[in-house]
């Protein structure tokens, strides 16, 4: 079981955002465990993605479908392609969380963000927090779950095309 330094955990979060901004979606998807999830709750403080509605709750298969759609030649909603930019606050290691067990290769990292998504002359700004449940697999960090809590999650939102 590999143990990662705080700096390696923080660097992982920055690198994950950069993959998204550079539209390296296949590389980004490879960061997820086979049982990984991408979750965007619909309400503040939501604790259950299955018994409550979510903006997104996608397993690795659904993420793969979205990645393939983004790369598709017939994805007309992406002609021209959307672009994104993440501005992250310094990620913090959440030591109070029960999943933060370095001796077991599990970590919880949280980062506040501003995210801009743009396509043609439309630009949308989102703000919130991303919480990563990371695990050590074969000596590398992997995402078991990425939870994206938007400040305005309960507002009417435009179509979110990319990943935050």
């Amino acid at each position: 079981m590999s143990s990662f330094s705080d700096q390696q955990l923080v660097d992982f979060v920055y690198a994950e955002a950069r993959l998204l901004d550079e539209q390296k979606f296949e590389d980004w998807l490879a960061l997820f465990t086979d049982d990984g999830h991408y979750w965007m709750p619909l309400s503040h403080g939501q604790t259950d993605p299955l018994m409550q509605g979510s903006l997104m709750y996608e397993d690795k298969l659904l993420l793969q479908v979205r990645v393939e759609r983004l790369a598709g030649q017939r994805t007309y909603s992406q002609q021209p392609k959307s672009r994104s930019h993440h501005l992250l606050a310094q990620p913090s290691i959440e030591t109070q969380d029960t999943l933060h067990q370095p001796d077991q290769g599990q970590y919880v990292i949280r980062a506040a963000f501003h995210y801009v998504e743009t396509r043609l002359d439309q630009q949308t700004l989102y703000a919130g927090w991303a919480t990563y449940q990371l695990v050590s697999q074969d000596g590398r960090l992997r995402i078991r779950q990425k939870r994206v809590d938007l400040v305005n999650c309960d507002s009417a939102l435009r179509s979110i095309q990319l990943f935050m």
Side-chain angles (χ1 to χ4, degrees), residues 1-76:
M1 188 81 45
S2 294
S3 182
F4 294 92
S5 69
D6 288 357
Q7 189 60 52
Q8 287 173 305
L9 297 171
V10 167
D11 289 347
F12 179 89
V13 171
Y14 286 130
E16 184 259 355
R18 185 173 181 168
L19 287 175
L20 291 172
D21 289 343
E22 293 177 353
Q23 298 195 2
K24 295 179 178 176
F25 299 122
E26 289 288 341
D27 294 339
W28 175 77
L29 186 61
L31 297 177
F32 281 81
T33 61
D34 289 341
D35 62 345
H37 285 87
Y38 181 88
W39 180 23
M40 193 177 291
L42 181 61
S43 60
H44 288 281
Q46 185 173 335
T47 58
D48 189 338
L50 300 176
M51 298 305 289
Q52 296 175 288
S54 295
L55 294 169
M56 291 182 212
Y57 185 66
E58 299 182 354
D59 62 11
K60 194 164 182 182
L61 176 62
L62 284 175
L63 292 174
Q64 178 67 45
V65 169
R66 278 166 59 62
V67 165
E68 290 171 2
R69 181 188 64 81
L70 289 170
Q73 296 300 313
R74 292 189 171 185
T75 307
Y76 299 111

